[in-house]
Amino acid sequence: MLRAWQGSCAGLGVMFLVGTAGAGSLELASAAPVVSNQVMSQGEWARRLVSVLELERALPPEPQPSDLSGLLCPDQAEIRIGAGRRSLPAGESFSAVAHPGAPSRPQRPVRVVLRVPVTALYQLTVTGAGRQRWLIDGHPVGHLDLSVLGAAQAGGVVPLRAGPHEVSGYLAGRARVDRVELAAHHTLCIAPADGWHASRALRYGAFARTLVRSFDLDRRLPVIAEETFRVEGEHFDGASEIVAGVPSGLGGGGSAGVPSGLGSPASGGGWAEAASSPEEFTWSIWLDEPRVVTLRARTRGTPEQFWSIDGRYRATLQPDAFPGLFTWNRVFTLPLSAGRHVVRARVAPGTAIDLVEMVPHRSTDADYARVLMGLGFRGDVPATPMTRARVRAELTGASFGRLTQGFWRKLAGDRRDHPLVLVDLEPQRATSGPLAPLLPGEF
């Protein structure tokens, strides 16, 4: 009797389990994917950005939030080290420099080991002469021609982990190397307005700012025309002849030119020009308050130019040029602090600089949000919290994919400003009426 009852209970148990499993299967089969409404933190967004931009190879095995913020924005790492009162290498901050001798044998590479202070994006600059090919840790970073300016900047920007790295150069003919430098790529700073805070909730304003900065599209921010700072090229503070390495003023390589049958007249009746050798000109520019600014120059000549602000923001410009004409070119757009800033331009013989201009932009979170919306992203109020589902949807859109390709091209050394082609997610029909053959009388 007892066995019969136990058997019945066992049967009921089996039936109950089967029934429960069947109900669960039906629920799973008909359920939609669960949407995560959990708000993403800035720390999680930094990790996601490093991943989608394919920068994670520079991270240590167990990255800290400081590694992520430094990789995205070297300025943030500099602030952190300054607050911790750690010493920086001699010379310019966040750089590693070597002065190698000649290779021991012909056709042997120049090899140096440079130790970088923090995990960040770095760019190679070499001073010397001749044509050269350079590698970092065995990976090519570019072919450099130092014969025009006496120096060259590798086009590629490389994410590097803090610590030692082998830099190798293969020289052609009578080429030489005087100085090798790995400097943090300060011109790219991907960060919210007040820096990264790992535990803080990610809001749409910070999301928009970091994406627009990632893709170097700050130049789309509204211009504050009345605050534009302009200086005539011939009003330089100083000029130094690159070959001699000593100031030469107007009597050496640098000269203040006068118009002589140019296709486009010079502003103010003159310009600065490198005469018989490469020349570096210096100007002082002032900002009354912190601004995102675009540095522009009106120049004549086709050779590439090397520009810098305060020695830390650097860019190689391949100018759009037309014979006999002065042409405007954008050097870069970046955030600068208030106060005096020193602008330098290293140019080849025959290159003339007519005007140097600093154009400020409005740069609130709302301004960045409008720029992002203009790029094909869904707009929102800057204070809106960003959920994980919302971020995932934005990163899988066509606009993000196209912009990411542009980021990788620039990281690989493409210095051109490619036209941005936006993708309409819902293209409009060409016509709302039916198509019909045209009769001969309608032509």
Side-chain angles (χ1 to χ4, degrees):
M1 186 76 172
L2 180 60
R3 289 183 179 178
W5 182 81
Q6 289 176 338
S8 300
C9 289
L12 290 172
V14 171
M15 290 175 62
F16 175 77
L17 290 174
V18 172
T20 304
S25 299
L26 289 173
E27 288 180 6
L28 290 175
S30 60
V34 177
V35 177
S36 175
N37 289 320
Q38 185 172 356
V39 175
M40 181 175 283
S41 68
Q42 287 192 8
E44 186 179 354
W45 173 230
R47 290 193 299 273
R48 183 70 65 87
L49 262 181
V50 167
S51 176
V52 297
L53 297 178
E54 298 186 0
L55 304 177
E56 65 267 42
R57 66 180 183 273
L59 294 174
E62 297 182 3
Q64 302 299 312
S66 58
D67 295 310
L68 295 165
S69 60
L71 186 57
L72 292 170
C73 179
D75 290 345
Q76 297 297 307
E78 187 170 85
I79 292 171
R80 187 177 65 253
I81 286 183
R85 298 182 180 178
R86 288 169 52 191
S87 61
L88 293 171
E92 294 184 17
S93 62
F94 284 80
S95 65
V97 179
H99 298 268
S104 56
R105 298 178 187 174
Q107 307 304 320
R108 292 291 299 273
V110 174
R111 282 198 176 95
V112 296
V113 175
L114 297 178
R115 181 179 292 273
V116 298
V118 296
T119 299
L121 293 174
Y122 287 88
Q123 199 162 18
L124 177 72
T125 301
V126 181
T127 303
R131 297 178 181 274
Q132 309 170 9
R133 180 170 65 91
W134 287 87
L135 301 86
I136 299 177
D137 295 333
H139 301 288
V141 293
H143 289 76
L144 307 183
D145 186 356
L146 282 62
S147 57
V148 177
L149 295 177
Q153 185 182 44
V157 179
V158 185
L160 295 177
R161 187 180 305 176
H165 297 274
E166 184 183 72
V167 182
S168 306
Y170 294 81
L171 313 186
R174 297 183 178 181
R176 75 172 193 277
V177 178
D178 300 330
R179 187 175 190 268
V180 181
E181 179 183 12
L182 278 176
H185 189 58
H186 285 282
T187 52
L188 179 64
C189 179
I190 306 170
D194 58 348
W196 289 102
H197 299 272
S199 59
R200 183 180 296 178
L202 176 68
R203 300 188 181 276
Y204 187 78
F207 174 79
R209 185 183 294 266
T210 50
L211 279 188
V212 171
R213 284 189 174 177
S214 297
F215 303 131
D216 189 26
L217 294 174
D218 298 65
R219 60 186 181 273
R220 289 174 170 250
L221 292 166
V223 170
I224 309 175
E226 62 274 15
E227 293 186 14
T228 297
F229 190 103
R230 175 178 289 187
V231 59
E232 295 285 344
E234 64 271 23
H235 296 163
F236 49 81
D237 296 338
S240 59
E241 191 175 350
I242 301 303
V243 174
V246 296
S248 59
L250 298 181
S255 62
V258 293
S260 57
L262 290 176
S264 59
S267 171
W271 63 89
E273 182 172 357
S276 59
S277 63
E279 194 78 20
E280 185 172 88
F281 298 99
T282 304
W283 302 268
S284 294
I285 289 182
W286 297 83
L287 291 177
D288 293 332
E289 55 184 288
R291 291 290 190 197
V292 171
V293 298
T294 291
L295 177 66
R296 301 201 314 153
R298 190 171 184 254
T299 68
R300 188 191 71 212
T302 58
E304 66 180 21
Q305 308 163 13
F306 187 58
W307 289 78
S308 69
I309 298 180
D310 302 332
R312 61 190 279 114
Y313 306 104
R314 310 173 183 182
T316 299
L317 173 66
Q318 187 63 56
D320 290 331
F322 302 93
L325 299 177
F326 283 108
T327 307
W328 281 108
N329 283 276
R330 184 185 76 95
V331 181
F332 41 42
T333 304
L334 44 76
L336 288 180
S337 61
R340 177 178 177 266
H341 296 279
V342 177
V343 176
R344 290 184 175 88
R346 180 186 289 221
V347 297
T351 298
I353 303 174
D354 178 38
L355 285 168
V356 178
E357 193 174 74
M358 195 82 86
V359 183
H361 300 266
R362 290 208 321 260
S363 55
T364 65
D365 280 352
D367 294 317
Y368 276 98
R370 280 188 285 270
V371 171
L372 192 65
M373 185 171 61
L375 297 174
F377 291 77
R378 175 185 161 195
D380 215 326
V381 177
T384 302
M386 293 293 291
T387 64
R388 290 175 175 173
R390 171 88 182 269
V391 171
R392 188 183 305 113
E394 297 286 10
L395 298 190
T396 54
S399 295
F400 181 81
R402 180 64 58 87
L403 292 167
T404 304
Q405 291 175 11
F407 174 85
W408 292 330
R409 283 197 301 265
K410 286 185 179 296
L411 216 63
D414 188 347
R415 295 182 174 127
R416 296 170 295 174
D417 274 339
H418 293 272
L420 185 63
V421 179
L422 297 181
V423 178
D424 291 328
L425 299 182
E426 296 181 2
Q428 296 180 350
R429 295 177 60 186
T431 178
S432 58
L435 296 176
L438 292 176
L439 299 176
E442 296 178 278
F443 282 100

